[in-house]
Amino acid sequence: MLIWLATAVLFRYSSLASIMAALLAPAVYALGGGDLWVVSKSIAFGVVVITLLLLYRHAENINRLVKGSEC
């Protein structure tokens, strides 16, 4: 949530904030493991797969962000 909020405040694009949060979700899962939750290889794999599916599904939106044509 903090990644999304910081990106949204900084860049003013909700879609970019969502993409950044998804991209960083595997790292947040790995870094928070042990103290905040139990780390599991199967859950880590699932987080990575969901991130890749999200990026694939939103490829057009990502292209618009890169081109600067996102409203």
Side-chain angles (χ1 to χ4, degrees):
M1 182 177 83
L2 293 176
I3 293 167
W4 185 93
L5 185 60
T7 306
V9 168
L10 192 62
F11 295 102
R12 304 281 188 208
Y13 285 106
S14 176
S15 56
L16 178 61
S18 297
I19 292 165
M20 289 302 297
L23 278 173
L24 293 174
V28 169
Y29 179 76
L31 294 174
D35 295 330
L36 301 175
W37 48 74
V38 177
V39 176
S40 163
K41 288 182 182 180
S42 60
I43 293 174
F45 178 75
V47 171
V48 170
V49 168
I50 289 170
T51 297
L52 293 173
L53 287 172
L54 185 140
L55 293 175
Y56 172 76
R57 180 77 170 109
H58 295 281
E60 290 180 21
N61 191 20
I62 293 167
N63 286 332
R64 285 193 304 269
L65 284 166
V66 170
K67 291 178 183 176
S69 61
E70 180 70 13
C71 298

